[in-house]
């Protein structure tokens, strides 16, 4: 890197650590599941593993499975995945700590993520995040006392045409404002979760993790047609007779 005066700037390893809202020791908790829990999880894991030609390819779904059991990753979950896939715990932990969708601390029923990437921030994402921290009384990365809401900032989720976006357990709430975001979390905490702008009805974080693992989704199917903002570019292209170049093959 280069400073504004042209002098080189060197960053040591200590300058490039984990996100500031993540805890220190990445994974804790008990080392093993009770036998009845391990047996139940193994029954869930078997059809997931069977979908892949190589068992280790099932690691990401299995991490969702154990996250659905504990609400975050634990030493027991890491050990379970390692045993199921004939991997070392170090290999599993290396993957688990790479991806931000695997939580390292207990998570509330609803993981509320506010996008603070460029477009959402410009459109009000930073103001929404500040408003929710004040309204909930918790900083980013923490959970409310009633265990209902865990607040975090999230990276771009490819919904820039609906900015600013808030996600709850990975379901979209589009075109948010500080006021609407406060109403959103109030509904979550009161036991009356609002309906997402797009996608299926909300379920709890642990239930969502099991769905992401590849287990059956009990929610009704939702139509997947794109909305008007998503189609704006296509509409302009058609109005001006614009087409993609022909393929060379």
């Amino acid at each position: 890197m280069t400073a504004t005066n042209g002098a080189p700037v060197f960053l040591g390893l200590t300058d490039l650590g984990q996100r500031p809202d993540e805890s220190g020791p990445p994974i804790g908790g008990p080392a093993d599941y009770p036998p009845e829990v391990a047996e139940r999880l193994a029954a869930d894991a078997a059809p997931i593993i069977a979908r892949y030609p190589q068992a280790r390819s099932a690691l990401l779904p299995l991490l969702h499975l154990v996250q659905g059991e504990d609400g975050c990753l634990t030493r027991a979950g890491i050990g379970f995945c390692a045993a199921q896939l004939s991997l070392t715990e170090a290999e599993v932990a290396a993957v688990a700590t790479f991806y931000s969708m695997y939580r390292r601390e207990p998570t509330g029923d609803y993981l509320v993520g506010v996008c603070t990437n460029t477009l959402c921030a410009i459109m009000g994402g930073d103001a929404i995040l500040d408003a929710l921290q004040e309204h909930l009384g918790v900083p980013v990365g923490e959970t409310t006392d009633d265990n209902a809401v865990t607040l975090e900032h999230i990276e771009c989720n490819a919904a820039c045409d609906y900015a600013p976006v808030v996600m709850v357990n990975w379901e979209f709430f589009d075109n948010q404002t500080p006021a609407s975001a406060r109403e959103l979390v109030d509904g979550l905490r009161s036991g009356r979760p609002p309906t997402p702008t797009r996608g299926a009805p909300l379920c709890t974080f642990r239930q969502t993790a099991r769905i992401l693992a590849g287990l059956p989704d009990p929610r009704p199917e939702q139509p997947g047609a794109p909305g008007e903002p998503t189609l704006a570019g296509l509409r302009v292209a058609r109005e001006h007779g614009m087409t993609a170049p022909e393929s060379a093959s």
Side-chain angles (χ1 to χ4, degrees):
M1 296 180 62
T2 304
T4 54
N5 62 1
V9 176
F10 298 99
L11 296 177
L13 291 177
T14 56
D15 299 314
L16 298 173
Q18 60 198 31
R19 298 186 327 192
D21 54 312
E22 288 183 330
S23 58
I27 299 173
D32 299 292
Y33 286 125
E36 64 276 11
V37 174
E39 183 177 355
R40 171 168 50 79
L41 288 174
D44 288 335
I48 297 173
I49 297 171
R51 296 173 186 153
Y52 297 90
Q54 296 185 16
R56 68 180 298 151
S57 298
L59 178 53
L60 297 185
L62 287 198
L63 287 170
H64 282 298
L65 177 66
V66 296
Q67 183 160 260
E69 179 67 27
D70 300 314
C72 64
L73 296 182
T74 63
R75 292 169 59 206
I78 295 296
F80 173 84
C81 293
Q84 292 292 312
L85 303 176
S86 299
L87 299 172
T88 67
E89 293 187 8
E91 288 174 312
V92 174
V95 173
T97 55
F98 178 82
Y99 293 101
S100 61
M101 69 271 201
Y102 300 118
R103 303 283 301 172
R104 306 184 196 183
E105 293 185 323
T107 305
D109 289 335
Y110 299 101
L111 179 62
V112 176
V114 182
C115 182
T116 56
N117 270 30
T118 304
L119 186 56
C120 278
I122 291 173
M123 299 295 287
D126 288 335
I128 290 172
L129 186 60
D130 290 343
L132 288 183
Q133 289 185 87
E134 180 180 359
H135 186 65
L136 294 171
V138 296
V140 172
E142 297 296 326
T143 302
T144 54
D145 291 339
D146 57 6
N147 200 45
V149 172
T150 299
L151 180 65
E152 72 164 0
H153 65 78
I154 55 176
E155 295 301 316
C156 182
N157 277 265
C160 304
D161 38 358
Y162 297 97
V165 170
V166 173
M167 298 192 79
V168 179
N169 294 348
W170 312 116
E171 298 292 352
F172 289 102
F173 288 83
D174 300 331
N175 303 123
Q176 292 294 293
T177 66
S180 67
R182 285 191 289 264
E183 292 178 3
L184 168 60
V185 296
D186 286 346
L188 299 175
R189 300 185 75 182
S190 69
R192 299 188 300 274
T195 302
T197 309
R198 296 171 284 142
L202 291 177
C203 56
T204 67
F205 178 77
R206 295 191 184 204
Q207 291 168 333
T208 302
R210 288 178 59 82
I211 294 169
L212 291 174
L215 298 175
D217 186 348
R219 301 174 298 173
E221 292 187 11
Q222 300 293 311
E228 281 299 312
T230 306
L231 298 174
L234 178 61
R235 186 170 59 250
V236 170
R238 286 175 174 171
E239 289 172 354
H240 291 80
M242 301 165 65
T243 60
E246 295 292 334
S247 174
S249 59

